[in-house]
Amino acid sequence: MSAHAPHGGVSVVICVYTEDRWEDILAAVSSVRAQSLPALETLLVVDHNPALMERLGKEYKESDDVRVLANGGPRGLSAGRNTGIAVSRGGIIAFLDDDAVAERDWLRHFAAGYEDPLVMAVGGRTKPVWASGRRPVWFPEEFDWVVGCTYKGLPRGKVRVRNVLGGNASFRRSAFDAAGGFATGIGRDGDKRPLGCEETELCIRLTRARPDAVLLIDDRAVIHHRVPAGRERFAYFRTRAYAEGLSKALVAQSVGADKGLESERRYVTRVLPAGVARGVRDFVLARPGGAGRAGAIVAGVLTTAGGYALGSFRARRTGATFSVVEIGDAGAAEGGGAS
């Protein structure tokens, strides 16, 4: 494997929004600094929180490898990412969640994927770190996407995929030149329902703009994502599943249901029935949580479908409520660190 990142190095973008994650943010930056393949820079994009912006500016004032920036667009994860892309200098841009830490070879595995000039995006594997110390017995691995992690049913190894998952992903800079940035109005905005799917919509748009583009997941590029206690509860599971349905409806409105639901059809028809069968088997064998996992999968499917149905109705009635910006339009204001 090459010892150096191709095409001008890797910029890492970490979008942050609350001081409640202060220790997590510092840990995320430290994990980037400890990479076996050094990042060109780490960009902390602060989402409309002046107090956090000031505090981070002071924390990294003497750093030449970390820059603190204000989100130059509307509140939300998509606009924050677009801000980071716009000011980054690397030929590859990687994204790390603010409550996750990357393993030492994370960027090295990402960079290796780009030795193929057709590769436009490389994602990795995200493992949950449960606040309680272990997975709740009722929580099915097939639904780990609910807590932002790699779920059972995704292919293993280094494989071609329809889309990467945003909290552990990288893109070639030219991908954004071809497709534009992340769409605002689909993903999270810090206050409202926990929506998602903005990276799915971008990846589908990218492969339409560049039909020869290759998108990969390399599950050796590992991050560990913290799952707070509130997200270990069934109430959050249900809320997040419903929001996923709403988001998928927006994606289908944007790119068409054929592409927008291509991977989901296999997931629902093959992966989930197998998960229910395992749960029932474990229940019959008196293993803990079997009935709960089977029930959670059924409830998750029905709740997601309900969100999709309502989202589709709203999208048809009002039209899509998101927009795609050219990356050059996403401005940013620096608040600290090196320029």
Side-chain angles (χ1 to χ4, degrees):
M1 188 180 301
S2 171
H4 302 286
H7 306 297
V10 184
S11 296
V12 177
V13 175
I14 304 174
C15 295
V16 302
Y17 70 98
T18 176
E19 289 185 87
D20 294 342
R21 292 186 176 179
W22 179 256
E23 295 299 329
D24 293 330
I25 295 167
L26 299 187
V29 172
S30 293
S31 76
V32 176
R33 286 175 153 173
Q35 289 296 299
S36 60
L37 176 70
L40 180 66
E41 60 188 348
T42 300
L43 303 172
L44 292 173
V45 184
V46 183
D47 194 14
H48 299 270
N49 184 334
L52 178 59
M53 176 108 177
E54 182 179 3
R55 189 176 178 189
L56 285 170
K58 290 177 181 175
E59 178 73 23
Y60 294 107
K61 187 176 183 181
E62 306 301 324
S63 303
D64 57 5
D65 61 332
V66 178
R67 288 194 286 165
V68 181
L69 313 162
N71 177 359
R75 183 184 297 275
L77 186 56
S78 290
R81 287 173 174 163
N82 290 341
T83 295
I85 297 163
V87 302
S88 63
R89 302 194 303 263
I92 298 165
I93 299 130
F95 299 95
L96 178 65
D97 276 344
D98 63 344
D99 53 356
V101 293
E103 291 190 0
R104 179 170 166 75
D105 292 328
W106 177 62
L107 290 182
R108 184 177 291 278
H109 290 305
F110 275 174
Y114 294 100
E115 291 171 2
D116 178 348
L118 293 180
V119 170
M120 289 287 122
V122 183
R125 182 170 188 81
T126 302
K127 297 182 178 181
V129 179
W130 303 96
S132 61
R134 61 177 216 154
R135 171 186 298 275
V137 292
W138 63 268
F139 202 115
E141 291 181 48
E142 291 83 357
F143 273 79
D144 277 6
W145 55 262
V146 164
V147 291
C149 294
T150 301
Y151 55 89
K152 190 180 188 72
L154 281 178
R156 298 299 302 265
K158 189 173 183 178
V159 293
R160 193 167 179 173
V161 292
R162 178 194 67 180
N163 64 275
V164 295
L165 303 178
N168 179 11
S170 64
F171 292 84
R172 201 183 292 274
R173 175 174 296 282
S174 56
F176 301 109
D177 297 333
F182 289 91
T184 57
I186 293 182
R188 294 173 185 249
D189 70 0
D191 289 326
K192 299 179 183 178
R193 201 183 299 277
L195 301 174
C197 295
E198 63 277 6
E199 65 275 359
T200 301
E201 194 273 342
L202 170 64
C203 288
I204 295 171
R205 189 165 15 100
L206 171 60
T207 51
R208 286 189 171 172
R210 286 283 305 272
D212 62 341
V214 174
L215 284 63
L216 299 174
I217 283 182
D218 185 340
D219 65 7
R220 298 171 301 172
V222 176
I223 70 168
H224 299 266
H225 185 266
R226 194 170 66 80
V227 181
R231 296 186 182 184
E232 294 187 8
R233 302 188 183 115
F234 184 69
Y236 179 82
F237 178 93
R238 196 173 53 210
T239 299
R240 178 69 187 88
Y242 181 73
E244 183 75 2
L246 293 175
S247 300
K248 283 282 189 280
L250 282 175
V251 171
Q253 172 83 357
S254 170
V255 300
D258 56 336
K259 276 291 183 185
L261 298 177
E262 185 178 49
S263 298
E264 288 73 15
R265 289 192 184 96
R266 176 188 170 277
Y267 172 73
V268 170
T269 58
R270 297 184 190 177
V271 175
L272 295 186
V276 172
R278 275 192 299 273
V280 171
R281 180 199 64 198
D282 288 348
F283 171 70
V284 170
L285 296 174
R287 293 171 180 165
R293 288 191 296 277
I297 290 173
V298 173
V301 170
L302 294 175
T303 306
T304 306
Y308 181 82
L310 179 60
S312 298
F313 172 74
R314 287 177 178 170
R316 285 194 302 268
R317 190 181 63 183
T318 64
T321 58
F322 56 90
S323 59
V324 178
V325 299
E326 295 295 327
I327 288 300
D329 297 336
E334 291 211 18
S339 57

